[in-house]
């Protein structure tokens, strides 16, 4: 039987941890007393088993379960169900790592573009990339377009919608996407420099497929999605079947999941096809530690079968002044996302944005 | 501006709570410094505002935000994004209640069947309902069908798939759904007593719509879905556009969300169309308190616009011996779900199942 390894951190006393791990293996597979299983096939081919148990803290253990890969049906939703379905409701359990067998790596081929093709599209071979966000909600399509034009002329590489910009009456998806892409096209003609617009997708599956079509018709070359809001299988279907451009994944609605961020954003979002993963940077409005952020970036870029790397996109409360520090931490394979930190410049928006671009370029020059 | 009220529990010192609440209002709406907003419309029509702040514990405050209903686009995913998108990543925040204005109650009409139509389908006017689960994973369609037949002959009202039974090679969706419904049809002809089979839906949106069709063709009269695995907008689309039978919602993959269970399962799942909501009962393998479970049931059944009530379905490690206690706690508007507690009877499965049915009937007789 082909094995999917799921690694959990379990809060338990040492005396109880073996029994607790066995109960978890049952919970995450057959979900009934193992002694009551009457089918030899089920017992042999679907019952989860406890692998290594390792103490990692006073009352914390790292427990590896061996789950049957066949129980996932090689489908995204059922994979998550096997990894963290019922045990998401058990407060002593945290999902910290996953090791995928070949059949699952094949079923989920990961980024179609990844870091390399994203760089190629932008014509930026080596330096860190720059990114900003169009906001606030409530701007009209023309106002968003005007804002996008300023950012583009300042030399930002990727301009994304704020993830709260959806399909609202005051700024319908089709109208704003066309306005923003038009503004970028005009800026590119002026500057001769490539810039990608990534509109935010939102809504039910049918609306999402329709938005992908509208964006493609408007010449849009990147997209933003929030996998946990649309649902992971919906995200995966959209990437596999509709989307023909790089996709950036946003972590909204997923922060409280008790799945380690490096695993969830760096490995699982990438597995499902994210070419770039936005995550809350340390030292901003969110509570991730620097170590978590570094591990996340390393995981997104590191080995995962033969999959392309995904670009780490730290964000959230970042400022232009922190660019040298962030480049020192993340190196060149990063896309720095500063939104409010640029917009707060008011009348000096263009200059602040240009400063951001220049500081990233200077960092690259220093590193060379 | 029409207001959506979102109520959070915030961990904060009293001196800081006002500023923290203001920051949360910004995070959950414009996501940029309010002072830097240059559009009068955006400031007036999309910026979140702080309502009541109430102390509920030493360092805990209940904070109500007034969000603009228009920012949700009256769409399920964006509604969740406004309520708990970015702040899901902030550990000091818990979403505890939501008060919906008329336009959102209209956009989400809730259960199409609810408690009343579910009772009518079963021909059970007043007593509590009984439910069990087909498991483990790994049984063949014929084995699952045989199991369903035993439960049906014993008089169980609703027989659902274990939520881990997906579309796996050893038991493909179409084959097992037909086998189980056939077994129930045969049992109904024998006993003259109605029983509903609720197969578990899983997969990407296209697979889900196809499974709904297959189930309808097989004569299936109820369905099971896991909204947080498929994605809430996908669940809502499925309910609104494809499903023509009562739907039961399962909490897998949603347990760690820091959204209060009565709100999430009792109000929001119901709002999106769940006719019955499965939740982990107190005193089993999960850690919900009895008070949480009672609040959840009360919320699912209580007032929500003009919406039909959703049937509470406590589950998880329950035993037949606890039936009198559970009936005393939940009353008659409940569907008791016992799975492993029946299956562990082994050769006495029919008798244990019949005992479950009889104890629920006896409880109804005592109450009458």
């Amino acid at each position: 039987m082909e094995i999917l390894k799921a690694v959990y951190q379990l809060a338990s006393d040492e005396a109880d941890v073996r029994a607790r791990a066995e109960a978890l293996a049952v919970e995450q597979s057959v979900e009934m007393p193992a002694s009551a299983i009457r089918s030899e096939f089920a017992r042999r081919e679907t019952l989860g088993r406890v692998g290594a148990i390792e103490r990692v803290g006073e009352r914390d253990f790292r427990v590896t379960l061996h789950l049957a890969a066949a129980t996932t049906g090689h489908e995204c939703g059922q994979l998550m169900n096997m990894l963290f379905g019922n045990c998401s409701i058990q407060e002593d359990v945290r999902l910290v790592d996953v090791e995928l067998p070949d059949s699952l790596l094949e079923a989920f081929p990961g980024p179609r573009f990844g870091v390399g093709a994203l760089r190629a599209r932008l014509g930026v071979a080596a330096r860190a990339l720059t990114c900003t966000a169009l906001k606030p909600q409530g701007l009209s399509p023309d106002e968003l377009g005007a804002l996008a034009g300023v950012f583009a002329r300042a030399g930002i590489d990727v301009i994304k919608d704020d993830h709260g910009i959806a399909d609202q009456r005051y700024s319908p998806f089709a109208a704003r996407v066309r306005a923003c892409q038009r503004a970028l096209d005009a800026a590119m003609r002026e500057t001769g420099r490539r810039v990608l617009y990534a509109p935010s997708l939102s809504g039910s599956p049918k609306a999402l497929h329709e938005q992908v079509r509208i964006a493609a018709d408007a010449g849009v070359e990147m997209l933003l999605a929030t996998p946990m809001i649309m649902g992971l299988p919906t995200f995966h279907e959209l990437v596999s079947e509709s989307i023909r451009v790089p996709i950036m994944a946003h972590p909204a609605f997923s922060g409280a999941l008790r799945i380690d961020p490096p695993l969830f954003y760096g490995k699982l979002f990438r597995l499902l096809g994210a070419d770039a993963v936005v995550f809350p940077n340390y030292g901003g409005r969110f509570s991730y530690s620097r170590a978590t952020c570094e591990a996340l970036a390393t995981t997104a870029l590191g080995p995962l079968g033969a999959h392309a790397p995904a670009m780490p996109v730290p964000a959230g409360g970042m400022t232009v002044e922190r660019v040298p520090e962030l480049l020192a931490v993340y190196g060149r394979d990063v896309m720095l996302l500063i939104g409010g930190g640029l917009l707060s410049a008011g009348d000096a928006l263009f200059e602040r944005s240009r400063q951001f671009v220049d500081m990233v370029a200077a960092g690259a020059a220093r590193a060379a």
Side-chain angles (χ1 to χ4, degrees), chain A:
Chain A
M1 139 174 138
E2 197 188 25
I3 295 296
L4 161 67
K5 290 188 186 169
V7 186
Y8 303 89
Q9 187 161 319
L10 267 185
S12 174
D13 289 325
E14 182 151 34
D16 304 327
V17 68
R18 165 67 54 182
R20 181 67 192 88
E22 298 285 354
L24 185 62
V26 164
E27 189 73 54
Q28 290 309 108
S29 58
V30 293
E31 219 194 308
M32 65 178 283
S35 59
I37 299 175
R38 297 160 80 87
S39 152
E40 186 48 41
F41 177 87
R43 182 193 309 278
R44 198 180 63 231
E45 301 289 335
T46 72
L47 177 60
R49 286 174 176 82
V50 177
I53 298 182
E54 185 192 351
R55 181 174 216 142
V56 293
E58 179 65 34
R59 283 195 75 252
D60 286 316
F61 292 84
R62 194 177 156 97
V63 170
T64 301
L65 294 191
H66 295 193
L67 303 172
T71 59
T72 67
H74 295 82
E75 183 274 313
C76 165
Q78 175 61 8
L79 171 62
M80 294 315 302
N81 194 20
M82 291 304 300
L83 293 172
F84 202 57
N86 270 11
C87 72
S88 75
I89 315 174
Q90 296 180 321
E91 289 180 7
D92 56 346
V93 181
R94 185 175 180 84
L95 181 65
V96 297
D97 205 2
V98 172
E99 205 177 300
L100 299 147
D102 288 346
S103 72
L104 281 165
L105 286 170
E106 277 159 31
F108 302 102
R112 286 98 31 91
F113 299 92
V115 173
L118 189 56
R119 287 190 175 286
R121 283 190 172 223
L122 286 164
V124 176
R127 66 166 166 79
L129 301 178
T130 54
C131 182
T132 191
L134 301 176
K135 45 188 170 184
Q137 303 191 42
L139 298 190
S140 67
D142 285 346
E143 289 171 318
L144 291 167
L147 193 55
V150 174
F151 286 137
R153 285 183 182 81
I156 304 275
D157 295 311
V158 173
I159 301 170
K160 75 170 196 52
D161 284 344
D162 186 41
H163 76 286
I165 295 188
D167 191 18
Q168 294 113 334
R169 210 170 34 212
Y170 43 75
S171 188
F173 183 86
R176 83 179 145 79
V177 166
R178 288 183 198 124
C180 292
Q181 188 60 46
R182 249 196 328 263
L184 261 62
D185 290 342
M188 282 191 274
R189 280 192 298 273
E190 269 179 47
T191 66
R193 184 172 173 157
R194 298 277 299 160
V195 49
L196 301 182
Y197 168 48
S200 180
L201 302 172
S202 68
S204 69
K206 285 187 188 166
L208 292 166
H209 284 285
E210 175 66 8
Q211 287 173 7
V212 170
R213 193 192 59 70
I214 291 169
D217 288 350
V220 162
E221 294 190 90
M222 193 162 183
L223 290 166
L224 175 74
T226 46
M228 272 303 289
I229 287 183
M230 59 178 65
L232 299 178
T234 303
F235 175 73
H236 186 241
E237 177 179 284
L238 210 60
V239 170
S240 310
E241 300 194 2
S242 282
I243 295 177
R244 301 280 170 266
V245 296
I247 180 125
M248 189 186 314
H250 191 284
F253 198 54
S254 70
L257 272 182
R258 275 203 308 270
I259 300 179
D260 266 9
L263 168 63
F264 200 46
Y265 307 128
K267 192 181 271 191
L268 294 176
F269 275 20
R270 175 186 175 193
L271 191 73
L272 300 183
D275 298 289
V277 289
V278 179
F279 62 92
N281 191 46
Y282 67 95
R285 306 190 302 272
F286 302 92
S287 59
Y288 284 15
S289 70
R290 177 170 152 178
T292 294
C293 293
E294 290 188 276
L296 199 165
T298 304
T299 306
L301 294 166
L304 177 67
H307 293 28
M311 183 64 104
V313 188
M318 282 165 38
T319 57
V320 171
E321 290 69 29
R322 290 184 66 195
V323 166
E325 169 208 346
L326 297 169
L327 293 178
V329 167
Y330 291 108
R332 69 174 209 182
D333 274 339
V334 69
M335 179 151 70
L336 300 180
L337 166 47
I338 304 185
L342 302 185
L343 289 164
S344 61
D347 286 336
L349 178 64
F350 177 84
E351 291 72 19
R352 177 81 60 90
S353 305
R354 174 58 66 88
Q355 188 193 0
F356 176 30
V357 169
D358 288 346
M359 286 177 80
V360 170
R366 263 198 308 280

